[in-house]
Amino acid sequence: MVENSLSRSATPSHHPHVTVIEATKGWISLGLKDIWEYRELLWLLIWREVRGMYRQTALGASWIFLRPVLNVVILTLVFGTFVKVPSDNLPYALFSLSALLPWGYFSNAVLRSAGSLVQNMEIISKVYFPRIIIAIAGVLSGLVDFAASFGIFLLFMLYFKVPIRIEILWLPGFILASMLLALTVGLWLSTLSVRFRDVSFAINFLLQAMMYLSPVIYPVNQVPEALRFFYRLNPMAGIIEGFRWSLLGIGSPPDITFWISMGLMFVAMLLGAFIFRRTERTIVDYL
Amino acid sequence: MSDIAIHVDNLSKKYRIGRNQNEALHKPSPLRHLAHSMRYFLGAFFQPEETLWALKNVSFEVKQGDVLGVIGRNGSGKSTLLKLLSRVTEPTTGRAVIYGRVGALLEVGTGFHPELTGRENVFLSGAILGMKRAEIERKFDEIIAFSGIERFIDTPIKYYSSGMRVRLGFAVAAHLEPEVLLIDEVLAVGDAEFQQKCLGKMSQVATEGRTVLFVSHNMAAVQSLCNRGLYLQKGEVLVDGTISEAVKMYLKIIDEISQQEISERSDRSGLGNIRLVGVDITDQSHLTALTLITGEPAQFVFHLSHLEPNTVFEYLDFTICDLQGNPVAYFNSIDSSPEDQKSPELHDKVICWIHELPLLPGRYRINVGIKANGEMQDHVEAAAIFNVEQGRLRGRPIDNRSQRLGSVIFPHRWILPG
């Protein structure tokens, strides 16, 4: 029972575990090694999020399937039937669900990771771990819902007799892009929400605005030609186009504007991660 | 040098204060909240920051196998020190080095999720406290046995009583096996039997030669567990020595503080619309004697600041503690009896009358709290210190013989052979 590793170690400098506590200076480290070291906790946090989420609801895990279905039903009814938004000659349900896959995942993941610091205040103020894994857990746990939505999408494809295309091999790339985008926005918002609680109110508005500015309920070709370049700098626009292209064969493969938007996102993500790492060390003082 | 476990060098921590503080007290309306946050937002850029040094140039060393008790009054910086060493937050300046695997226990049941079962939470909490999955699996049965709630282990913990949660939480924490253990006053929870179990576990940890840093208010616990003591005052180290030296300083300071005019003391908590402004502790013969006699009447008179006519006074409570800080007796005016009286002539006074004082000779202090209008209005620790001198309880002489244990004596009657 008694651990004698202390007496075995010769000098402190050769001790296997040395913790140095001091104020961090500079911007150098992203602390990726730290994240790797805490990977077990990361998995547990994801698992906690997934297990805990639907436990207290009457319908339980069925919500995971119900949510995307209800979303599609409403969108199809309102925009497909009432307003008659063009849908690139595809059934509107299929058209909108192909966008709801990345969008639903993204908005869900942003909500989770942006609120993660404030919601997990209790743990954060009592235990050390790299706080970024809480934001990462928020992004990763959304994949469970995504998988469920994707299952429903496959059923839709079967029903509308749309064949699976070879371009589907691109899909993991687009999924990864939406994860990184969610992480980017999540990192920025969670950092800000610790300092300014108003952010939690702003998030819903922001997501709504972003949904209207992305081709979720309408196709990109409805956007005036002159504005289309700027419109497509929104990474979500490119990701949704990518989903539609790889799953349904509409639109074109990723072009230069897509890669520019990805580049912008990547810069924003690195910046967000650095700022997050810089604030996380004293985050408790603000909570 | 090789036997150093914790080395702290000029550690300081600055906190921003002022802004955002009223928020905790009054729930603002949405509009006021908006105004407040706008001010806060702008203030973040323009306002000069008000700061407070919670810890100032603290330096000390802990050797391997030492059990260090960190004591000090509220706001002395001891919790901040613990937060820095457990890396919950970063120091502003200075440096600390810890040699060995660190386990920090700032709370019992950290990370519990109410919707998950006890079993699932053991893994979750264990991982949060830094245990590896394999380690938790290995110790799982032991943990469950220690918690004593085997039967409910597959029940979601939202159905647990708070006592059960604490048991489970401590059981997980007790099976951490770090080389350096940092502990906050988590022992102040749970029922007496379980507390005993926890204390036992802690002294076991201490005898195993692991290094422990223990932050506590409880002088008795500190004295029985620790061999070294650190007394902090206003963020600075006042005593770095043996535990009895540190405890002695604590008692001396408490003594000095209780001599101060209560109305001028700032070390209090509560909303503050009503304040305790004075305490008279008298027997019948003297007016403000602060000396009572065992078995004789005693009177505790609490002077409050002016009560507004619309104040809803709820209760005044006080705790008599021995000098180690162990509570001896608790009194609350809300537990009413037909013998209680209400008197309009009292104005802003509350009196507690004890017919026969059942305390052994010695020195005691009282902590006083006042609740009104649904809020805690005032809480003063060590509001007064008083002496009890030897006397007679129903004719029975009660002197200060050293073999008397405890702090109280009951009226009683013997029947002896003969």
Side-chain angles (χ1 to χ4, degrees):
Chain A
M1 181 86 191
V2 184
E3 288 197 332
N4 270 324
S5 55
L6 269 180
S7 43
R8 268 189 264 119
S9 63
T11 60
S13 53
H14 296 127
H15 204 283
H17 296 277
V18 178
T19 315
V20 178
I21 295 153
E22 57 188 337
T24 337
K25 294 177 191 79
W27 296 78
I28 320 107
S29 166
L30 260 186
L32 294 178
K33 202 180 129 222
D34 226 10
I35 299 173
W36 177 247
E37 219 157 272
Y38 279 84
R39 62 192 181 281
E40 272 191 14
L41 181 58
L42 174 61
W43 290 121
L44 269 167
L45 287 175
I46 295 170
W47 173 77
R48 174 177 107 136
E49 184 90 31
V50 173
R51 293 293 300 255
M53 191 162 12
Y54 295 108
R55 276 266 171 109
Q56 66 272 54
T57 59
L59 294 174
S62 341
W63 270 115
I64 206 170
F65 298 105
L66 266 176
R67 246 191 347 198
V69 171
L70 289 176
N71 264 332
V72 169
V73 168
I74 291 170
L75 286 186
T76 308
L77 200 67
V78 175
F79 296 105
T81 313
F82 300 167
V83 188
K84 294 209 166 38
V85 174
S87 54
D88 288 332
N89 305 318
L90 279 166
Y92 192 84
L94 207 54
F95 173 82
S96 61
L97 187 55
S98 63
L100 278 177
L101 285 179
W103 176 259
Y105 165 76
F106 169 79
S107 61
N108 199 349
V110 164
L111 279 175
R112 281 191 208 166
S113 66
S116 60
L117 287 180
V118 175
Q119 274 157 23
N120 290 288
M121 182 179 339
E122 189 213 342
I123 314 178
I124 291 175
S125 62
K126 300 295 179 193
V127 190
Y128 169 78
F129 54 89
R131 277 67 170 101
I132 203 165
I133 69 171
I134 279 200
I136 296 176
V139 168
L140 290 180
S141 62
L143 285 177
V144 176
D145 300 61
F146 178 83
S149 303
F150 193 70
I152 288 174
F153 183 79
L154 291 180
L155 290 180
F156 271 51
M157 280 179 83
L158 212 65
Y159 176 80
F160 289 109
K161 298 201 172 56
V162 177
I164 290 184
R165 301 149 36 82
I166 183 73
E167 283 86 352
I168 201 170
L169 293 178
W170 278 76
L171 194 68
F174 293 119
I175 295 172
L176 184 68
S178 48
M179 285 165 65
L180 294 181
L181 184 63
L183 185 63
T184 306
V185 179
L187 284 176
W188 277 96
L189 291 181
S190 57
T191 311
L192 286 171
S193 68
V194 171
R195 300 290 282 268
F196 312 109
R197 293 292 162 87
D198 324 62
V199 171
S200 40
F201 300 109
I203 288 175
N204 283 318
F205 176 74
L206 190 100
L207 283 175
Q208 206 177 26
M210 200 164 158
M211 180 171 134
Y212 290 128
L213 289 174
S214 305
V216 178
I217 45 185
Y218 55 87
V220 185
N221 56 32
Q222 295 292 300
V223 179
E225 195 93 44
L227 295 175
R228 215 172 285 168
F229 172 75
F230 299 101
Y231 179 87
R232 294 184 63 234
L233 284 182
N234 167 10
M236 198 20 100
I239 290 169
I240 290 175
E241 281 186 285
F243 263 75
R244 288 201 173 124
W245 169 71
S246 62
L247 290 171
L248 302 170
I250 51 179
S252 48
D255 61 356
I256 184 72
T257 326
F258 176 77
W259 292 112
I260 293 174
S261 76
M262 286 294 114
L264 289 174
M265 178 192 84
F266 203 69
V267 172
M269 185 178 72
L270 284 184
L271 208 61
F274 276 117
I275 290 175
F276 189 96
R277 292 296 289 192
R278 221 180 134 72
T279 27
E280 73 166 359
R281 297 155 212 274
T282 52
I283 239 158
V284 173
D285 306 346
Y286 296 98
L287 285 172
Chain B
M1 274 299 283
S2 67
D3 60 343
I4 299 295
I6 306 177
H7 177 91
V8 176
D9 187 19
N10 268 312
L11 209 60
S12 299
K13 175 73 181 176
K14 183 169 71 176
Y15 278 111
R16 291 155 235 266
I17 49 161
R19 266 186 262 127
N20 220 14
Q21 275 205 327
N22 297 334
E23 213 168 12
L25 290 176
H26 315 278
K27 271 247 173 314
S29 68
L31 210 68
R32 249 173 62 203
H33 181 87
L34 189 69
H36 180 86
S37 5
M38 284 309 289
R39 247 196 344 269
Y40 176 58
F41 186 84
L42 295 172
F45 296 104
F46 300 119
Q47 237 174 51
E49 280 170 341
E50 279 180 77
T51 54
L52 165 92
W53 287 94
L55 223 50
K56 264 183 295 193
N57 300 323
V58 167
S59 300
F60 63 92
E61 265 180 3
V62 186
K63 291 196 170 60
Q64 268 172 41
D66 266 352
V67 181
L68 175 73
V70 179
I71 55 181
R73 305 185 52 247
N74 287 335
S76 59
K78 52 189 196 309
S79 308
T80 305
L81 177 64
L82 203 61
K83 276 189 176 164
L84 293 182
L85 292 180
S86 59
R87 296 172 73 198
V88 165
T89 185
E90 262 195 358
T92 311
T93 59
R95 183 182 154 94
V97 187
I98 304 179
Y99 302 99
R101 232 181 79 162
V102 188
L105 196 48
L106 272 61
E107 183 192 48
V108 166
T110 310
F112 275 2
H113 192 298
E115 298 292 335
L116 302 181
T117 67
R119 180 186 303 274
E120 291 166 332
N121 272 304
V122 166
F123 281 93
L124 190 62
S125 189
I128 287 172
L129 293 174
M131 285 171 160
K132 296 273 174 244
R133 192 179 171 83
E135 193 182 343
I136 305 171
E137 264 162 13
R138 188 157 43 81
K139 293 179 186 158
F140 188 79
D141 293 338
E142 220 179 305
I143 291 175
I144 300 308
F146 187 86
S147 72
I149 50 165
E150 293 94 332
R151 282 179 52 209
F152 307 102
I153 201 61
D154 289 312
T155 309
I157 64 161
K158 65 176 170 184
Y159 300 116
Y160 282 24
S161 69
S162 59
M164 286 162 73
R165 280 188 209 200
V166 167
R167 278 158 183 276
L168 190 65
F170 193 87
V172 177
H175 289 81
L176 277 172
E177 283 181 2
E179 291 146 336
V180 179
L181 188 58
L182 312 168
I183 311 178
D184 202 354
E185 283 187 291
V186 283
L187 296 174
V189 289
D191 55 57
E193 183 204 353
F194 194 69
Q195 274 190 31
Q196 224 34 55
K197 212 168 165 183
C198 300
L199 275 170
K201 185 79 194 175
M202 286 206 27
S203 48
Q204 184 197 336
V205 167
T207 53
E208 280 168 5
R210 276 184 261 166
T211 313
V212 182
L213 191 144
F214 180 39
V215 167
S216 180
H217 266 117
N218 185 330
M219 293 304 128
V222 166
Q223 269 183 311
S224 70
L225 286 171
C226 307
N227 60 336
R228 284 203 43 217
L230 196 71
Y231 183 86
L232 294 180
Q233 189 177 35
K234 291 182 179 150
E236 289 175 284
V237 177
L238 213 61
V239 176
D240 178 3
T242 64
I243 187 63
S244 41
E245 284 166 352
V247 168
K248 220 162 152 186
M249 175 59 79
Y250 178 83
L251 299 180
K252 193 180 139 225
I253 301 257
I254 287 281
D255 216 289
E256 281 169 16
I257 280 166
S258 64
Q259 313 282 319
Q260 282 176 29
E261 194 67 43
I262 293 176
S263 53
E264 283 164 17
R265 283 175 55 177
S266 58
D267 55 326
R268 60 210 307 163
S269 51
L271 202 54
N273 294 338
I274 302 171
R275 290 268 192 224
L276 180 72
V277 294
V279 180
D280 294 329
I281 299 173
T282 65
D283 63 2
Q284 263 181 323
S285 49
H286 307 80
L287 267 175
T288 52
L290 292 180
T291 299
L292 304 173
I293 296 163
T294 306
E296 297 290 314
Q299 182 171 262
F300 292 78
V301 183
F302 302 94
H303 301 269
L304 310 185
S305 59
H306 181 63
L307 291 179
E308 300 288 334
N310 57 352
T311 303
V312 184
F313 176 83
E314 284 169 51
Y315 64 76
L316 181 142
D317 68 347
F318 68 101
T319 312
I320 299 180
C321 301
D322 66 14
L323 279 190
Q324 308 287 314
N326 295 313
V328 173
Y330 173 75
F331 302 80
N332 193 326
S333 66
I334 211 167
D335 308 323
S336 64
S337 136
E339 288 183 19
D340 289 352
Q341 296 166 20
K342 276 202 163 158
S343 164
E345 291 110 72
L346 266 186
H347 299 296
D348 306 327
K349 270 187 286 187
V350 174
I351 297 175
C352 181
W353 167 261
I354 294 164
H355 184 58
E356 296 172 318
L357 186 72
L359 287 175
L360 290 180
R363 212 160 154 71
Y364 301 88
R365 63 173 195 252
I366 58 169
N367 304 332
V368 185
I370 300 165
K371 189 171 176 187
N373 298 335
E375 303 262 7
M376 207 59 209
Q377 297 289 345
D378 201 11
H379 181 86
V380 186
E381 303 243 321
I385 289 196
F386 62 94
N387 287 311
V388 176
E389 309 237 306
Q390 56 193 64
R392 286 170 179 271
L393 186 68
R394 305 221 173 141
R396 183 186 311 277
I398 307 294
D399 58 15
N400 45 8
R401 264 209 312 257
S402 58
Q403 69 264 43
R404 290 192 195 284
L405 296 174
S407 304
V408 292
I409 180 81
F410 303 100
H412 62 286
R413 200 157 65 90
W414 291 98
I415 298 161
L416 299 167

